[in-house]
Amino acid sequence: MWLPSEDPEHTIRGNLKRSHIPERGYMKILEGANESLLLIKDEKIIAAWNLNAKSLEETHENKAMNLINISPESRIEVYQLDDNMFSTIFDLNEECKLPLPTGIDFLLEKKAKDVNRDDVLSKYKIRDPSEDDIDNLLNGYKPKIGGR
């Protein structure tokens, strides 16, 4: 997908809100090995493109929409465009146009599966301290008084 390379208006970490969505512009979503680009006009997604960085496989239209994943680790860049630039980009990316525009709610609801707290603690080998652990810590703490 061809896009101008100006600085993003917003850079978000996985917490996309309706107020971040441009009236006319595009969004770049970086999640793991996938880079997704969405062309947005009047709260509708009208074109989609996805690139898998590992396989260098490009995907367009609805197939690209299905590959979008937003997790807390996702980096989302939001770009606002004027009417002329938007029209130019839309014309240059003919192969990415969706057969039917998709409402922006699709994107706002597209999140990674709910993460289970126990799974996260286990993944990072973190365990909750027991009451005995806390008591031992408190009993073992001896403040230094007068430099002793």
Side-chain angles (χ1 to χ4, degrees), residues 126-143:
I126 299 170
R127 66 179 182 90
D128 286 330
S130 68
E131 287 187 35
D132 288 339
D133 291 335
I134 294 171
D135 288 341
N136 289 337
L137 181 65
L138 291 173
N139 289 334
Y141 175 74
K142 296 179 183 169

Side-chain angles (χ1 to χ4, degrees), residues 1-7 24-30 35-40 47-50 77-81 85-96:
M1 182 179 252
W2 181 88
L3 297 167
S5 60
E6 295 180 21
D7 292 331
R24 280 184 180 70
Y26 67 94
M27 297 177 67
K28 181 188 294 185
I29 302 168
L30 304 166
E35 178 179 341
S36 299
L37 294 168
L38 304 172
L39 200 54
I40 298 168
W49 174 86
N50 180 277
E77 297 176 358
V78 180
Y79 298 83
Q80 187 85 22
L81 300 172
M85 183 60 79
F86 184 86
S87 296
T88 302
I89 288 173
F90 189 66
D91 291 341
L92 290 173
N93 294 294
E94 179 82 28
E95 72 281 1
C96 300

Side-chain angles (χ1 to χ4, degrees), residues 31-98:
E31 169 60 35
N34 285 315
E35 178 179 341
S36 299
L37 294 168
L38 304 172
L39 200 54
I40 298 168
K41 178 180 178 182
D42 300 327
E43 295 195 6
K44 300 267 190 221
I45 301 168
I46 61 171
W49 174 86
N50 180 277
L51 173 69
N52 182 304
K54 289 181 182 174
S55 67
L56 298 179
E57 180 181 351
E58 285 186 73
T59 312
H60 306 97
E61 300 176 345
N62 290 332
K63 289 181 183 178
M65 291 289 290
N66 291 333
L67 294 173
I68 295 170
N69 186 33
I70 298 176
S71 72
E73 291 82 29
S74 298
R75 177 185 166 112
I76 304 168
E77 297 176 358
V78 180
Y79 298 83
Q80 187 85 22
L81 300 172
D82 63 33
D83 286 338
N84 290 336
M85 183 60 79
F86 184 86
S87 296
T88 302
I89 288 173
F90 189 66
D91 291 341
L92 290 173
N93 294 294
E94 179 82 28
E95 72 281 1
C96 300
K97 294 178 187 177
L98 294 172

